Structure formats: structure tokens, C-alpha cells
Amino acid sequence: MKDHFHYRREFIKKAFTYTAGLSTLGFAATAAPKAKPSEALLVIGPRTGYSPQIGAMVAMLNYMRHTIVNTVKDLSVEELDWQMDEDSNSIGALLLHLAATDKFYQLNSFHGKQEFNKQEDKIWGAAMRLGKEGKKIKGHTAQHYLDIMTEVREETLETLKEYDDEWLLAIDEVWSQPGQEVNTYWKWFHVCEHESNHGGQMRILRTRVGKTLT
């Protein structure tokens, strides 16, 4: 046991000496001019008009939406309506599902709602639940879906400018359970993750539909 603690003290001492040595080399990193902050699509970081962490979240949302748009923008109505089997969703239905999810998290995180009201459910319910209801979502162009998604997302992005990082990091007492807390940041990260998951589905469907309809 004595040898164990001696080893740990020596390890910590050497680690401290090493990091202290690195600090004396700091001039090499700081001497170079600082790069101008970039808001390019492939740069995750702050965005003009948002608090720092909300800006980084917005950058992620923007990139993920960019990939979705590129996946579906040139698909025909027939391709958007195609289903792999009776239990699968079409690309068109999945696109409207993404818009419905965005809308739900708006209502939840901005207004404290836990579900759609009757009027909201008439608009978004089928797209949110999918399944048998989702099969009715068909007959629309890619631009139709993208316009709806863009309208909802623009409202999200504009409203996020009104909030700060404290709000983003706040724990939601309604959603949290003992030992499993949930904060607002996770909710919007989930929106991004959700688009990534369904984007993968869409790319698979796009490949399959290309082989089926040609």
C-alpha cells in the first residue's frame, strides 16, 4: 500500500512538472494572430445573435438540416411517397415528422406545453405519431415539405435569440426523474439527433426506391 501511494505522489509530481513546462511554451501558441471566428457550415461554435452555447447548438441544427435538404431536394413525388413495406414510413412522411418534432419542442421549451392542443394536433398529430396516420401523408413535392420545415425552423431560430445559456442548461423538473435529470440543452440536442437518425433512414429509402422504380 505504501508503494502505491508513493507511486501516485511521484506520478502527480511528474505530471505537474510536465504541464508547468508546457505553460512556458505558451508564447508559441499565443504569438500567432488569433483566427477570426468563423460561422461556416462546418464550424461548430458561436453564432451572431445567440448566446455562446445556444449558438453552438444552432450550428449543429443548421448542419443537420443541410444534410436533410441535400438528401431529398431532387426526389420526385413518387419517390417521396414510396414505402419499403407496409410497416415503413415514406420519406415524405418522415420530413413532415421532423417539422412536427421541431414544433413540439418549440411549444415545450418556449411555452412549457407538454402536448399539442386539439388545434395543433389537427395540424401536427399524424406527422408526429406516424404509423397508420403517417400513411396518409403523400402526394406532395419535396419543396412542399421543405417549405413547412423551413417555416417551423425559422421560428425556432428566431425565438432562440431571446434566450441565454442559463436557460439552455436549466434542468426541466417535469421531465426529470430521480437519477436522470433532463435539461433544455438535451431537448434541442435531441432534435438534432432525431434529424440525424431519420436522415439515415431517408438515405436508405432513397437507395432502395432508386432500385425499385427504375
Side-chain angles (χ1 to χ4, degrees):
M1 185 64 72
K2 182 178 180 181
D3 290 341
H4 173 72
F5 286 115
H6 174 75
Y7 172 79
R8 286 182 59 81
R9 284 196 298 271
E10 288 301 310
F11 177 81
I12 293 170
K13 184 189 299 182
K14 290 178 180 178
F16 177 78
T17 302
Y18 176 70
T19 54
L22 286 180
S23 68
T24 64
L25 300 177
F27 70 90
T30 57
K34 292 183 178 179
K36 183 179 179 181
S38 173
E39 296 191 16
L41 180 67
L42 302 185
V43 175
I44 301 299
R47 291 293 185 268
T48 302
Y50 300 95
S51 62
Q53 295 209 49
I54 291 180
M57 189 71 255
V58 165
M60 292 183 235
L61 289 169
N62 287 345
Y63 172 76
M64 191 50 58
R65 179 55 57 85
H66 174 79
T67 67
I68 296 291
V69 172
N70 282 343
T71 298
V72 306
K73 63 184 180 181
D74 61 345
L75 295 180
S76 67
V77 173
E78 186 179 16
E79 289 170 321
L80 291 165
D81 289 349
W82 183 82
Q83 292 175 252
M84 189 181 299
D85 54 51
E86 292 184 358
D87 297 321
S88 67
N89 296 297
S90 67
I91 293 176
L94 289 173
L95 289 171
L96 203 57
H97 177 66
L98 295 184
T101 301
D102 203 336
K103 174 57 68 173
F104 170 76
Y105 279 93
Q106 278 184 17
L107 295 170
N108 177 259
S109 62
F110 301 150
H111 306 292
K113 294 185 177 183
Q114 302 302 322
E115 58 186 17
F116 292 133
N117 60 31
K118 290 183 178 180
Q119 183 60 36
E120 292 158 351
D121 194 76
K122 287 181 180 179
I123 300 171
W124 303 109
M128 194 69 178
R129 291 183 288 270
L130 292 176
K132 292 182 179 180
E133 295 178 83
K135 298 183 189 306
K136 300 176 183 178
I137 301 171
K138 59 177 59 178
H140 305 293
T141 65
Q143 195 60 52
H144 169 83
Y145 294 115
L146 293 175
D147 285 346
I148 294 173
M149 293 170 69
T150 298
E151 182 179 357
V152 176
R153 179 54 58 82
E154 286 180 349
E155 182 179 353
T156 292
L157 297 180
E158 193 61 32
T159 307
L160 282 171
K161 293 178 180 179
E162 302 173 11
Y163 292 86
D164 58 19
D165 288 350
E166 183 177 357
W167 168 84
L168 188 69
L169 298 172
I171 300 297
D172 186 315
E173 300 298 339
V174 176
W175 284 35
S176 296
Q177 300 176 10
Q180 185 173 305
E181 295 179 315
V182 178
N183 68 357
T184 309
Y185 206 150
W186 179 86
K187 293 180 181 183
W188 286 103
F189 168 76
H190 176 63
V191 172
C192 187
E193 172 199 33
H194 185 254
E195 292 207 7
S196 177
N197 288 338
H198 286 307
Q201 284 182 280
M202 292 178 201
R203 285 185 282 278
I204 292 172
L205 289 170
R206 180 185 173 115
T207 300
R208 296 290 181 85
V209 71
K211 295 178 179 179
T212 303
L213 298 180
T214 53

